[in-house]
Amino acid sequence: HIIMDSSASMGFGKPHTKFDYGAMIGVGFGYLAMRDNEKFQYSTFDESLNVFQPKRGLNHLVGMIDHLNSIKPKGHSNFKDSIMQYKRLIGSRSLLVLISDFLVDSKEILESLYLLGDQEIKVIQVLDRVEKNLSMGGDYKLTDSETKNKLRTFISPRMRVKYQNQLNAHCSKIEDMCNQLGIEYQLVTTNTPI
């Protein structure tokens, strides 16, 4: 099961958006399943969950690629509700690959991971190098890609350090939760070669 975030925040980044990078990872897992002649199911979620039936073979992989190429990330991430809906589709113990930027409340992430129960789960957090390192400074007008709220701010060296500390704490909390639940966690940035 490959479950991928297609909310607006995943549309951030250059030259590859977080969504494009995550899609390459998801297709890689689909390819591995196809190579082993296993069925695989892929899904995307933003405000709603879009599920595609599990199948085998190259045609299913090509269909996955076509679908992912046709998506423009939009809306907000409805992570917990999507996982609640998806849980009903899992018949037996399975491998689940969750790909997202996970820029949602850590409590919601933990509750969602608990919902999935006794599955083999891989959590892949995809961030853009700009948001990971906040390599900018000065006056900026920022727009939240999901809520469209605007914020005018001055990014000082002190603010950059505070931001990085908060982001690192959030990512560490997700990793700690995954470790406690026996879930494999990986943080990648879009400038890391696939």
Side-chain angles (χ1 to χ4, degrees):
H1 299 267
I2 302 159
I3 308 164
M4 192 166 156
D5 186 348
S6 61
S7 64
S9 68
M10 292 294 285
F12 182 77
K14 289 182 182 176
H16 302 292
T17 66
K18 293 184 286 184
F19 181 81
D20 293 337
Y21 190 87
M24 289 187 271
I25 294 170
V27 168
F29 277 101
Y31 172 78
L32 293 174
M34 182 200 73
R35 189 185 69 187
D36 291 340
N37 199 30
E38 295 281 340
K39 283 184 178 180
F40 68 95
Q41 181 167 333
Y42 67 95
S43 304
T44 58
F45 69 91
D46 43 49
E47 295 169 7
S48 60
L49 177 67
N50 299 304
V51 180
F52 297 85
Q53 292 304 312
K55 294 181 185 172
R56 298 187 161 84
L58 184 58
N59 286 342
H60 190 47
L61 185 65
V62 170
M64 177 183 182
I65 294 168
D66 287 344
H67 173 73
L68 293 173
N69 282 334
S70 72
I71 290 180
K72 181 176 180 355
K74 63 177 175 39
H76 66 274
S77 175
N78 203 350
F79 184 67
K80 185 178 174 186
D81 289 344
S82 296
I83 294 300
M84 283 174 52
Q85 290 175 36
Y86 198 86
K87 181 183 177 359
R88 294 182 219 135
L89 304 173
I90 304 169
S92 59
R93 184 165 159 77
S94 302
L95 168 63
L96 279 74
V97 180
L98 301 173
I99 303 169
S100 176
D101 55 14
F102 291 98
L103 296 179
V104 295
D105 185 78
S106 57
K107 183 180 176 189
E108 182 178 342
I109 296 168
L110 181 61
E111 290 171 358
S112 300
L113 294 175
Y114 270 121
L115 284 172
L116 293 172
D118 187 32
Q119 307 295 329
E120 182 181 350
I121 304 170
K122 295 182 185 303
V123 166
I124 302 172
Q125 185 176 20
V126 178
L127 297 175
D128 183 79
R129 64 184 168 156
V130 171
E131 69 186 344
K132 177 77 171 107
N133 302 321
L134 193 64
S135 53
M136 51 185 168
D139 279 320
Y140 279 90
K141 188 184 288 185
L142 304 174
T143 303
D144 185 309
S145 57
E146 294 188 9
T147 65
K148 303 300 181 205
N149 290 339
K150 295 186 186 303
L151 172 71
R152 186 179 167 124
T153 188
F154 179 80
I155 300 174
S156 66
R158 183 174 171 185
M159 178 187 247
R160 185 180 306 120
V161 169
K162 184 178 178 182
Y163 167 87
Q164 288 172 327
N165 287 341
Q166 287 179 338
L167 180 62
N168 289 339
H170 179 72
C171 296
S172 293
K173 193 169 191 176
I174 295 169
E175 184 174 17
D176 290 344
M177 290 185 301
C178 289
N179 288 338
Q180 289 173 3
L181 296 172
I183 294 171
E184 186 178 326
Y185 170 83
Q186 186 70 43
L187 170 65
V188 293
T189 54
T190 55
N191 60 327
T192 306
I194 288 288

